[in-house]
Amino acid sequence: MDVEDPPIERRLSNSDEERDENRLAQFGYKQELKRDWGLAHNFGVSFSIISVITGLSTLFSYGLNTGGPAVMSIGWIVVSFFTMLVAIAMAEIVSAIPTSGGPYFWAAMLAPPRWSPFAAWITGWYNLLGQVAVTTGISFGLANLIPTAVTVKNPDFVPTSRITIAIYAAVLISHGIVNTFGVRVLRFLNNVSIVLHSAGITAICIAVLAKAPTHQPASFVFGKFHDGTGVDGAEGWSIRASPAYLAVCGALLSQLQDTNSLVTGFDASAHLSEETKKASWSAPIGVVSSVGFSALFGFFVLMAFLFSIQDFDRVLDSAYGQPVLQILVDVAGEDVCVWHCGLFSMTSNSRMMFAFARDGGIHPFFHKVDDRFRSPIRAVWLAATLSFILALPSLGSTVAFAAATSIATIGLYISYGLPILIGVFCHQSFNAMKGPFNLGGLSRIIATAACLWIGCITVVFCLPTANPVTDETLNYTVVAVGILTLGAIGSWIFWARHWFTGPAAEVAEAMRLGVDITEPGALEAKEKEASKAAPGSAAEISS
């Protein structure tokens, strides 16, 4: 009986799937997660986590007080440009190394063999706890937003910390349940989230501008400077330090410090790469395009808000402490977008934990993938549990909660920067690994600029932005980062260095030499060739 050849599209699909699985095998792993996400889905996860619609509204009041409209508008353009450089540098790495591990695995592959386990350990813990803090910040923000919205509609309602933490637990459970049912449900909700965020942003821009009785001139939007950093009548930082200090803090922190702002979340495209078709191309495009579209849409929303301000002083003294909340509740239904943002943050977090457990960074119990749903269910609920624990300090003190979650942005940013920096110094081994997203001669230039930017904002993140500086106004980021850094390094020195090896050493060596480890004898032959070519080798001495 003649067997009909399968359609060309089917054969190509199988070929792509085999290439993805073979590439994963070169890293020493088998295909465990279900690979049926496309480029649009990969982009949508990062786009949803960045969620400029929620980040901008949360920090709108902060930006108005820390520099005003001029700093916010110009700062958005500057921050978007440098964030894009970081995204492009990361995209080149994920194209070469498309695995769920993301930054910690990149650091292990790019670092010299002696330092590979240490680089993976440090980067992994920055990334893991940074992601937990991001999930906490996003979902706890929604838990706070819901009772605040109820208060707008029912002034007699009095929200308490216990009510908020209960709502927060329900939000996390809903995220955990959806993530448990695997990629099919997530893929559908991902499509919904893309539509909600893009349509929601468009609706906000149109509705806000249409409802505004009058509009501010461009001189206000790009030229109005305001210093509201003085507390209880104290002078602001533009006087105590300088207007430049305030402008830098306002431009960076108003765009970056929120846990779901422009800077964070785009590594999700990397963490989902083992579930994405044509991962070496789709994942880097997902990273870059999510930042690009978020920057563009975010600028439109920011312009709509700033041009539509009617009374600047009244906006600053909003009775709800959230100048744009009423507009968003009326015209956009922001609660839905925040829920999707938190959902996919947990998805990304669980994939990183799954990979870290696979390489021994956390207990291997969390490496298990459910056979039915093809989802790392144990890692999903670990992410939910850790996020809930991180929010418990809010029951006693908002300052304690702010200190606990302040690691979110800077922790993720450091985990982004470490593998990029290693790639700058170890560029020869990186060149042997590069995938289809290759920057060529611009690679080290963009990577260096990205590292300098990360170093700059790491310092700025730790600066005080309220005067006078007290235990209530202190920027606790430096404390959180210090504790995490000491904990990661200390645990390595006294404990982890004795057993943690990170990704398999032979896999890392094969990647550095540009060898396919699945080919029998290929690694040994390449090492022998490299040994003979090395200066001072036995062959050279005998001759």
Side-chain angles (χ1 to χ4, degrees):
M1 182 178 64
D2 294 334
V3 179
E4 186 176 338
D5 288 334
I8 294 177
E9 293 81 9
R10 181 68 177 176
R11 292 204 300 267
L12 289 175
S13 176
N14 288 337
S15 177
D16 291 334
E17 184 177 349
E18 289 175 3
R19 278 197 293 268
D20 286 327
E21 292 187 8
N22 290 339
R23 184 58 172 164
L24 189 59
Q26 291 174 11
F27 302 134
Y29 306 127
K30 65 179 181 179
Q31 185 72 48
E32 296 180 88
L33 300 170
K34 188 173 183 180
R35 193 184 291 271
D36 63 352
W37 293 61
L39 171 58
H41 303 109
N42 186 281
F43 153 78
V45 171
S46 290
F47 184 61
S48 299
I49 295 175
I50 295 173
S51 188
V52 292
I53 193 174
T54 59
L56 267 176
S57 61
T58 303
L59 287 170
F60 192 71
S61 179
Y62 176 90
L64 290 180
N65 280 290
T66 315
V71 171
M72 294 174 70
S73 56
I74 298 174
W76 184 268
I77 298 172
V78 173
V79 170
S80 296
F81 173 77
F82 284 104
T83 302
M84 180 58 77
L85 292 184
V86 176
I88 292 172
M90 286 176 57
E92 187 178 38
I93 300 177
V94 72
S95 179
I97 314 172
T99 71
S100 296
Y104 91 82
F105 194 92
W106 306 340
M109 292 294 103
L110 295 172
R114 179 184 176 187
W115 296 101
S116 179
F118 177 71
W121 180 262
I122 297 298
T123 306
W125 280 104
Y126 270 117
N127 193 247
L128 188 150
L129 293 181
Q131 287 209 32
V132 170
V134 165
T135 302
T136 302
I138 295 170
S139 298
F140 195 79
L142 174 57
N144 273 297
L145 183 65
I146 291 173
T148 302
V150 173
T151 303
V152 173
K153 300 171 185 177
N154 183 10
D156 295 331
F157 175 74
V158 180
T160 65
S161 58
R162 292 181 180 274
I163 292 175
T164 301
I165 205 75
I167 296 174
Y168 176 59
V171 170
L172 287 177
I173 290 173
S174 70
H175 291 162
I177 291 174
V178 173
N179 274 284
T180 295
F181 289 112
V183 294
R184 181 172 297 180
V185 176
L186 287 173
R187 198 169 56 175
F188 169 75
L189 290 174
N190 189 16
N191 294 336
V192 174
S193 181
I194 294 173
V195 174
L196 282 173
H197 277 86
S198 55
I201 288 172
T202 303
I204 285 177
C205 292
I206 295 174
V208 170
L209 290 171
K211 284 188 175 184
T214 61
H215 297 99
Q216 295 287 351
S219 58
F220 171 87
V221 173
F222 295 99
K224 172 70 174 177
F225 185 84
H226 175 75
D227 182 1
T229 58
V231 179
D232 297 330
E235 62 185 13
W237 279 103
S238 65
I239 298 175
R240 179 176 176 178
S242 69
Y245 176 91
L246 183 68
V248 170
C249 290
L252 294 182
L253 295 181
S254 65
Q255 321 297 337
L256 301 178
Q257 76 169 11
D258 188 44
T259 52
N260 55 323
S261 61
L262 178 62
V263 67
T264 57
F266 48 88
D267 63 324
S269 291
H271 294 303
L272 272 293
S273 59
E274 289 185 30
E275 296 161 83
T276 303
K277 302 172 185 176
K278 300 182 182 178
S280 292
W281 182 249
S282 298
I285 296 300
V287 171
V288 175
S289 60
S290 63
V291 172
F293 280 104
S294 296
L296 185 64
F297 280 127
F299 184 74
F300 289 152
V301 175
L302 183 62
M303 291 298 100
F305 286 161
L306 293 178
F307 274 108
S308 300
I309 291 177
Q310 302 301 301
D311 186 318
F312 186 72
D313 293 329
R314 189 172 69 243
V315 169
L316 288 175
D317 299 327
S318 171
Y320 306 113
Q322 178 53 269
V324 299
L325 176 61
Q326 187 65 62
I327 297 175
L328 291 174
V329 170
D330 288 344
V331 305
E334 186 200 20
D335 296 8
V336 177
C337 291
V338 184
W339 186 85
H340 280 89
C341 181
L343 170 69
F344 291 111
S345 178
M346 184 178 292
T347 304
S348 174
N349 198 353
S350 65
R351 269 51 175 185
M352 186 273 164
M353 291 177 174
F354 155 79
F356 208 31
R358 181 173 60 187
D359 288 322
I362 59 177
H363 198 282
F365 174 82
F366 299 104
H367 172 215
K368 173 70 174 176
V369 174
D370 184 79
D371 293 333
R372 179 181 178 186
F373 296 114
R374 303 289 295 276
S375 175
I377 294 177
R378 295 175 181 177
V380 167
W381 290 102
L382 174 63
T385 301
L386 292 179
S387 296
F388 181 76
I389 292 172
L390 195 59
L392 291 179
S394 66
L395 291 172
S397 169
T398 56
V399 175
F401 173 71
T405 56
S406 62
I407 191 62
T409 298
I410 196 169
L412 283 182
Y413 231 120
I414 292 175
S415 75
Y416 298 168
L418 288 174
I420 296 174
L421 182 63
I422 295 171
V424 170
F425 286 102
C426 304
H427 61 282
Q428 290 184 340
S429 59
F430 182 29
N431 286 337
M433 307 178 191
K434 288 186 177 180
F437 191 94
N438 191 331
L439 300 176
L442 294 176
S443 177
R444 297 185 76 188
I445 297 174
I446 292 176
T448 301
C451 291
L452 291 174
W453 171 250
I454 292 172
C456 173
I457 65 173
T458 299
V459 174
V460 174
F461 280 160
C462 299
L463 297 176
T465 56
N467 187 48
V469 178
T470 65
D471 57 350
E472 294 290 324
T473 62
L474 178 67
N475 185 347
Y476 284 93
T477 301
V478 66
V479 178
V481 173
I483 292 174
L484 174 54
T485 302
L486 290 175
I489 294 177
S491 63
W492 173 259
I493 294 174
F494 296 107
W495 178 47
R497 68 186 178 91
H498 299 295
W499 56 267
F500 180 72
T501 60
E506 63 176 10
V507 173
E509 184 63 19
M511 289 291 295
R512 295 185 194 98
L513 296 174
V515 174
D516 184 353
I517 198 172
T518 60
E519 296 181 9
L523 177 58
E524 291 78 3
K526 190 69 174 181
E527 287 177 335
K528 187 176 181 180
E529 178 184 331
S531 177
K532 289 181 178 180
S537 64
E540 288 187 352
I541 292 173
S542 62
S543 62

